[in-house]
Amino acid sequence: MKWLRWPGLLAPASVLVLVLASVLLWLTWPQEEEPPPRERRYEAFTACLLTDDRGLAGTEAKAAWDGMQAVSTAHLIKVQYLSVDGPQTTANALAYFNTLALEGCGVVVAAGEAPIAALSQGKSRFPGSRYVTVGAGRTSDGVLGVPAGTAEEIRAGVESAVDRARTDATTK
């Protein structure tokens, strides 16, 4: 160990050992996985629900909302709802319908007597959107009707209608 006595080699050897140990430590250090993104990246499609003054407390509206949520989760579309406040008349509900249509809803789902009447009256002014009525039961004039039934039947019907509208909008 004669070389240890030579001070000119000790300092460079120590530095070299430290550098090699640091590189080895860096190479073997466990890699941190990137955390999943915190935001959702939605499609450019929004499904909107227009309800009467009971909001999502109504049986048909709640089932429709559940169907819309299922499509939102499966295909990352935005969903929103708006309740008609005040008198449950067609004229009053029409203002709420117009709000949703002007916001660019790709599909408007109406649940309740006044919302369905407003949709029927106002849909011609917004031909780019698709329309679904809950409880009306019949399809006519570009409006898909989901018949009244159990909550599960309504949920499945609205889910299918919204998904179909989303597919139609994205293939054009």
Side-chain angles (χ1 to χ4, degrees), residues 15-42:
V15 170
L16 182 61
V17 168
L18 283 175
V19 168
L20 288 175
S22 297
V23 169
L24 185 61
L25 182 64
W26 179 72
L27 288 174
T28 59
W29 195 264
Q31 297 295 321
E32 290 184 26
E33 292 185 27
E34 192 171 317
R38 296 182 72 173
E39 77 277 357
R40 287 187 177 179
R41 297 190 190 259
Y42 288 101

Short mmCIF file of all heavy atoms in Angstrom, two decimals, residues 15-42:
data_model
loop_
_atom_site.label_atom_id
_atom_site.label_comp_id
_atom_site.label_asym_id
_atom_site.label_seq_id
_atom_site.Cartn_x
_atom_site.Cartn_y
_atom_site.Cartn_z
N VAL A 15 -12.22 11.17 -5.49
CA VAL A 15 -13.21 11.84 -6.34
C VAL A 15 -13.80 10.84 -7.34
O VAL A 15 -15.01 10.80 -7.56
CB VAL A 15 -12.57 13.05 -7.05
CG1 VAL A 15 -13.50 13.60 -8.13
CG2 VAL A 15 -12.21 14.13 -6.06
N LEU A 16 -12.94 10.01 -7.92
CA LEU A 16 -13.40 9.01 -8.87
C LEU A 16 -14.36 8.02 -8.22
O LEU A 16 -15.39 7.67 -8.79
CB LEU A 16 -12.20 8.28 -9.49
CG LEU A 16 -12.54 7.24 -10.56
CD1 LEU A 16 -13.24 7.90 -11.73
CD2 LEU A 16 -11.29 6.50 -11.00
N VAL A 17 -14.05 7.58 -7.01
CA VAL A 17 -14.93 6.66 -6.29
C VAL A 17 -16.27 7.33 -6.00
O VAL A 17 -17.33 6.72 -6.17
CB VAL A 17 -14.25 6.15 -5.00
CG1 VAL A 17 -15.24 5.43 -4.10
CG2 VAL A 17 -13.08 5.25 -5.33
N LEU A 18 -16.25 8.56 -5.58
CA LEU A 18 -17.50 9.29 -5.31
C LEU A 18 -18.33 9.46 -6.58
O LEU A 18 -19.55 9.29 -6.56
CB LEU A 18 -17.20 10.65 -4.69
CG LEU A 18 -16.83 10.65 -3.21
CD1 LEU A 18 -16.44 12.05 -2.76
CD2 LEU A 18 -17.98 10.14 -2.38
N VAL A 19 -17.69 9.79 -7.68
CA VAL A 19 -18.41 9.97 -8.95
C VAL A 19 -19.02 8.64 -9.39
O VAL A 19 -20.20 8.57 -9.78
CB VAL A 19 -17.48 10.55 -10.04
CG1 VAL A 19 -18.12 10.45 -11.41
CG2 VAL A 19 -17.13 11.98 -9.73
N LEU A 20 -18.25 7.55 -9.32
CA LEU A 20 -18.78 6.25 -9.72
C LEU A 20 -19.92 5.81 -8.81
O LEU A 20 -20.92 5.26 -9.28
CB LEU A 20 -17.65 5.20 -9.71
CG LEU A 20 -16.64 5.32 -10.86
CD1 LEU A 20 -15.51 4.31 -10.66
CD2 LEU A 20 -17.30 5.14 -12.19
N ALA A 21 -19.78 6.05 -7.51
CA ALA A 21 -20.86 5.69 -6.58
C ALA A 21 -22.12 6.51 -6.87
O ALA A 21 -23.23 5.99 -6.83
CB ALA A 21 -20.40 5.90 -5.14
N SER A 22 -21.95 7.78 -7.19
CA SER A 22 -23.11 8.64 -7.50
C SER A 22 -23.81 8.18 -8.78
O SER A 22 -25.04 8.12 -8.83
CB SER A 22 -22.66 10.09 -7.67
OG SER A 22 -22.12 10.58 -6.46
N VAL A 23 -23.04 7.86 -9.81
CA VAL A 23 -23.62 7.39 -11.06
C VAL A 23 -24.34 6.06 -10.85
O VAL A 23 -25.46 5.86 -11.34
CB VAL A 23 -22.54 7.27 -12.16
CG1 VAL A 23 -23.05 6.52 -13.39
CG2 VAL A 23 -22.03 8.64 -12.56
N LEU A 24 -23.72 5.17 -10.10
CA LEU A 24 -24.34 3.88 -9.81
C LEU A 24 -25.64 4.06 -9.02
O LEU A 24 -26.64 3.43 -9.31
CB LEU A 24 -23.36 2.98 -9.05
CG LEU A 24 -23.83 1.56 -8.77
CD1 LEU A 24 -24.09 0.82 -10.08
CD2 LEU A 24 -22.82 0.82 -7.93
N LEU A 25 -25.62 4.95 -8.04
CA LEU A 25 -26.81 5.23 -7.26
C LEU A 25 -27.91 5.82 -8.14
O LEU A 25 -29.07 5.44 -8.05
CB LEU A 25 -26.47 6.18 -6.10
CG LEU A 25 -27.62 6.54 -5.16
CD1 LEU A 25 -28.10 5.29 -4.43
CD2 LEU A 25 -27.18 7.59 -4.17
N TRP A 26 -27.56 6.75 -9.00
CA TRP A 26 -28.53 7.38 -9.89
C TRP A 26 -29.15 6.37 -10.85
O TRP A 26 -30.34 6.39 -11.12
CB TRP A 26 -27.84 8.51 -10.67
CG TRP A 26 -28.75 9.21 -11.63
CD1 TRP A 26 -29.75 10.07 -11.34
CD2 TRP A 26 -28.74 9.07 -13.05
NE1 TRP A 26 -30.37 10.49 -12.48
CE2 TRP A 26 -29.75 9.89 -13.57
CE3 TRP A 26 -27.95 8.35 -13.94
CZ2 TRP A 26 -30.02 10.01 -14.91
CZ3 TRP A 26 -28.21 8.47 -15.29
CH2 TRP A 26 -29.24 9.29 -15.76
N LEU A 27 -28.33 5.46 -11.39
CA LEU A 27 -28.83 4.45 -12.33
C LEU A 27 -29.73 3.42 -11.67
O LEU A 27 -30.64 2.88 -12.30
CB LEU A 27 -27.67 3.75 -13.03
CG LEU A 27 -26.91 4.58 -14.06
CD1 LEU A 27 -25.69 3.81 -14.56
CD2 LEU A 27 -27.79 4.97 -15.22
N THR A 28 -29.49 3.12 -10.40
CA THR A 28 -30.27 2.09 -9.72
C THR A 28 -31.41 2.65 -8.89
O THR A 28 -32.18 1.89 -8.31
CB THR A 28 -29.36 1.23 -8.82
OG1 THR A 28 -28.73 2.08 -7.85
CG2 THR A 28 -28.33 0.48 -9.64
N TRP A 29 -31.52 3.96 -8.83
CA TRP A 29 -32.59 4.58 -8.03
C TRP A 29 -33.95 4.23 -8.65
O TRP A 29 -34.11 4.29 -9.86
CB TRP A 29 -32.41 6.10 -8.02
CG TRP A 29 -33.22 6.77 -6.95
CD1 TRP A 29 -34.43 7.33 -7.09
CD2 TRP A 29 -32.85 6.92 -5.59
NE1 TRP A 29 -34.86 7.85 -5.91
CE2 TRP A 29 -33.90 7.61 -4.95
CE3 TRP A 29 -31.74 6.56 -4.84
CZ2 TRP A 29 -33.88 7.94 -3.60
CZ3 TRP A 29 -31.72 6.89 -3.50
CH2 TRP A 29 -32.79 7.57 -2.89
N PRO A 30 -34.93 3.83 -7.86
CA PRO A 30 -36.24 3.47 -8.43
C PRO A 30 -36.88 4.66 -9.12
O PRO A 30 -36.88 5.78 -8.60
CB PRO A 30 -37.06 3.02 -7.23
CG PRO A 30 -36.28 3.34 -6.02
CD PRO A 30 -34.90 3.70 -6.42
N GLN A 31 -37.42 4.39 -10.30
CA GLN A 31 -38.06 5.45 -11.08
C GLN A 31 -39.45 5.72 -10.52
O GLN A 31 -40.22 4.80 -10.27
CB GLN A 31 -38.18 5.02 -12.55
CG GLN A 31 -36.85 4.81 -13.23
CD GLN A 31 -36.06 6.10 -13.35
OE1 GLN A 31 -36.61 7.15 -13.60
NE2 GLN A 31 -34.76 6.00 -13.14
N GLU A 32 -39.76 6.97 -10.36
CA GLU A 32 -41.10 7.35 -9.90
C GLU A 32 -42.03 7.34 -11.11
O GLU A 32 -41.71 7.89 -12.15
CB GLU A 32 -41.09 8.74 -9.29
CG GLU A 32 -40.36 8.80 -7.97
CD GLU A 32 -40.45 10.18 -7.35
OE1 GLU A 32 -41.42 10.90 -7.63
OE2 GLU A 32 -39.55 10.51 -6.58
N GLU A 33 -43.18 6.68 -10.94
CA GLU A 33 -44.15 6.69 -12.02
C GLU A 33 -44.86 8.04 -12.02
O GLU A 33 -45.14 8.60 -10.98
CB GLU A 33 -45.16 5.57 -11.82
CG GLU A 33 -44.56 4.20 -12.00
CD GLU A 33 -45.61 3.12 -11.93
OE1 GLU A 33 -46.78 3.40 -12.25
OE2 GLU A 33 -45.24 2.01 -11.55
N GLU A 34 -45.13 8.48 -13.23
CA GLU A 34 -45.83 9.75 -13.37
C GLU A 34 -47.26 9.58 -12.86
O GLU A 34 -47.94 8.62 -13.20
CB GLU A 34 -45.85 10.17 -14.83
CG GLU A 34 -46.28 11.59 -15.02
CD GLU A 34 -46.08 12.04 -16.45
OE1 GLU A 34 -45.03 11.74 -17.02
OE2 GLU A 34 -46.99 12.70 -16.96
N PRO A 35 -47.71 10.49 -12.01
CA PRO A 35 -49.08 10.35 -11.49
C PRO A 35 -50.09 10.49 -12.62
O PRO A 35 -49.85 11.15 -13.61
CB PRO A 35 -49.21 11.50 -10.49
CG PRO A 35 -48.20 12.49 -10.92
CD PRO A 35 -47.08 11.72 -11.55
N PRO A 36 -51.23 9.83 -12.46
CA PRO A 36 -52.25 9.95 -13.51
C PRO A 36 -52.74 11.40 -13.60
O PRO A 36 -52.72 12.13 -12.60
CB PRO A 36 -53.36 9.02 -13.03
CG PRO A 36 -53.13 8.85 -11.57
CD PRO A 36 -51.66 9.03 -11.34
N PRO A 37 -53.16 11.81 -14.78
CA PRO A 37 -53.64 13.19 -14.91
C PRO A 37 -54.86 13.43 -14.03
O PRO A 37 -55.68 12.56 -13.84
CB PRO A 37 -53.99 13.31 -16.39
CG PRO A 37 -54.13 11.91 -16.87
CD PRO A 37 -53.30 11.05 -16.00
N ARG A 38 -54.95 14.64 -13.50
CA ARG A 38 -56.04 14.97 -12.61
C ARG A 38 -57.26 15.49 -13.37
O ARG A 38 -58.34 15.53 -12.83
CB ARG A 38 -55.59 16.01 -11.60
CG ARG A 38 -54.48 15.46 -10.70
CD ARG A 38 -54.08 16.45 -9.71
NE ARG A 38 -55.16 16.55 -8.73
CZ ARG A 38 -55.08 17.24 -7.62
NH1 ARG A 38 -54.00 17.89 -7.33
NH2 ARG A 38 -56.09 17.28 -6.79
N GLU A 39 -57.07 15.89 -14.58
CA GLU A 39 -58.19 16.41 -15.35
C GLU A 39 -58.70 15.35 -16.31
O GLU A 39 -57.99 14.41 -16.65
CB GLU A 39 -57.78 17.66 -16.14
CG GLU A 39 -56.97 17.39 -17.39
CD GLU A 39 -55.47 17.18 -17.15
OE1 GLU A 39 -55.01 17.29 -16.01
OE2 GLU A 39 -54.77 16.88 -18.11
N ARG A 40 -59.93 15.52 -16.72
CA ARG A 40 -60.51 14.64 -17.74
C ARG A 40 -60.46 15.38 -19.06
O ARG A 40 -60.68 16.57 -19.13
CB ARG A 40 -61.97 14.32 -17.42
CG ARG A 40 -62.15 13.37 -16.29
CD ARG A 40 -63.60 13.02 -16.19
NE ARG A 40 -63.81 12.03 -15.15
CZ ARG A 40 -64.98 11.55 -14.84
NH1 ARG A 40 -66.05 11.97 -15.46
NH2 ARG A 40 -65.10 10.67 -13.89
N ARG A 41 -60.20 14.65 -20.10
CA ARG A 41 -60.22 15.24 -21.44
C ARG A 41 -61.48 14.76 -22.13
O ARG A 41 -61.56 13.63 -22.58
CB ARG A 41 -58.97 14.84 -22.20
CG ARG A 41 -57.73 15.37 -21.53
CD ARG A 41 -56.52 15.19 -22.40
NE ARG A 41 -55.33 15.50 -21.62
CZ ARG A 41 -54.68 16.64 -21.70
NH1 ARG A 41 -55.10 17.57 -22.52
NH2 ARG A 41 -53.62 16.85 -20.96
N TYR A 42 -62.45 15.65 -22.16
CA TYR A 42 -63.76 15.32 -22.71
C TYR A 42 -63.79 15.45 -24.22
O TYR A 42 -63.06 16.25 -24.80
CB TYR A 42 -64.83 16.24 -22.13
CG TYR A 42 -65.16 15.97 -20.69
CD1 TYR A 42 -64.63 16.76 -19.67
CD2 TYR A 42 -65.97 14.92 -20.34
CE1 TYR A 42 -64.94 16.51 -18.34
CE2 TYR A 42 -66.28 14.66 -19.02
CZ TYR A 42 -65.77 15.46 -18.03
OH TYR A 42 -66.08 15.19 -16.73
#
